[in-house]
């Protein structure tokens, strides 16, 4: 039932929604979330339609019925916590992009295993092609450069949220016996733990 996945995404996103409103006010916070959500939805839809920038893939019904047969509306909330969390962890743009791609090394194998999406030509990394990670560099880099223009630093709440997201997806990989993404997640949790404790 797709609504279970949609509810889980909403639960993970709720701290980000609350945090954005507290950070930028109701108008600014909601505006930022809508802009990021639409950006993610457009990029994902273009990728499904053309194969760029992530490779040719398709969504299942697990995350909800895809809009126009492309990406499901749950994408509006799924990607935003990742990009804001990466920016909350570091103020360096290139580090935030690297961190975002590293998160995907943990997330994508688990999502493929759970049947959220799949590639027409599965790649060597647990069904994920390498072009997908180059696509994350591109789409994440554009978002990071745009978000650096915000008038205030990204608050630490988003860093904590990202850390908990990593806990979840690392656990899925570990439970499923996908040892490499589980190990990547564990290393990230250890490395990011000091930053997690320092954030206000």
């Amino acid at each position: 039932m797709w609504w279970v996945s949609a509810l889980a995404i909403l639960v993970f996103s709720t701290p980000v929604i609350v945090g954005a409103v507290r950070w930028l006010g109701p108008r600014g916070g909601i505006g930022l979330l809508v802009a990021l959500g639409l950006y993610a939805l457009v990029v994902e839809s273009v990728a499904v339609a053309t194969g760029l920038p992530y490779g040719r893939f398709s969504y299942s019904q697990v995350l909800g019925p895809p809009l126009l047969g492309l990406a499901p509306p749950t994408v509006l909330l799924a990607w935003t916590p990742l990009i804001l969390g990466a920016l909350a962890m570091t103020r360096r743009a290139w580090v935030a992009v690297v961190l975002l791609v590293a998160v995907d090394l943990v997330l994508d194998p688990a999502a493929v295993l759970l049947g959220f999406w799949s590639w027409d030509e599965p790649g060597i990394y647990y069904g994920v092609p390498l072009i997908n990670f180059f696509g994350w560099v591109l789409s994440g880099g554009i978002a990071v450069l745009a978000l650096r223009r915000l008038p205030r630093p990204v608050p630490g709440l988003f860093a904590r949220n990202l850390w908990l997201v990593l806990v979840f997806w690392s656990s899925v990989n570990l439970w499923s016996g996908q040892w490499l993404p589980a190990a990547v997640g564990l290393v990230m949790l250890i490395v990011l733990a000091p930053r997690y404790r320092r954030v206000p």
Side-chain angles (χ1 to χ4, degrees):
M1 294 179 288
W2 68 265
W3 62 268
V4 176
S5 299
L7 181 61
I9 291 174
L10 180 61
V11 169
F12 273 121
S13 302
T14 297
V16 175
I17 296 171
V18 173
V21 170
R22 290 180 177 175
W23 174 34
L24 299 173
R27 183 176 179 180
I30 297 300
L32 175 65
L33 295 176
V34 169
L36 287 174
L38 289 175
Y39 172 72
L41 185 62
V42 168
V43 172
E44 295 286 322
S45 297
V46 169
V48 171
T50 68
L52 297 174
Y54 304 124
R56 192 169 291 279
F57 75 106
S58 59
Y59 282 92
S60 69
Q61 297 286 326
V62 176
L63 294 177
L67 296 175
L68 303 177
L70 299 173
T74 45
V75 169
L76 287 164
L77 289 175
W79 186 77
T80 300
L82 307 181
I83 184 67
L84 290 177
L87 279 169
M89 286 286 186
T90 177
R91 294 187 180 182
R92 296 183 179 181
W94 70 271
V95 176
V97 174
V98 170
L99 180 57
L100 191 62
V101 174
V103 169
D104 192 51
L105 287 169
V106 181
L107 185 158
D108 247 317
V112 169
L113 180 72
L114 294 177
F116 288 3
W117 54 76
S118 61
W119 275 264
D120 294 357
E121 297 182 7
I124 60 173
Y125 185 71
Y126 298 91
V128 184
L130 295 181
I131 189 176
N132 170 71
F133 303 109
F134 290 108
W136 274 65
V137 171
L138 177 62
S139 61
I142 293 172
V144 165
L145 291 176
L147 289 171
R148 289 189 71 196
R149 299 178 178 273
L150 290 171
R152 304 175 189 173
V154 181
L157 168 67
F158 300 135
R160 291 195 176 97
N161 185 264
L162 178 65
W163 201 84
L164 294 175
V165 168
L166 274 171
V167 169
F168 173 79
W169 288 112
S170 298
S171 300
V172 172
N173 282 305
L174 185 62
W175 180 264
S176 306
Q178 298 194 147
W179 306 117
L180 182 54
V184 172
L186 179 60
V187 169
M188 290 184 67
L189 288 170
I190 293 171
V191 170
L192 296 176
R195 175 61 180 161
Y196 171 88
R197 290 195 296 267
R198 286 198 304 267
V199 291

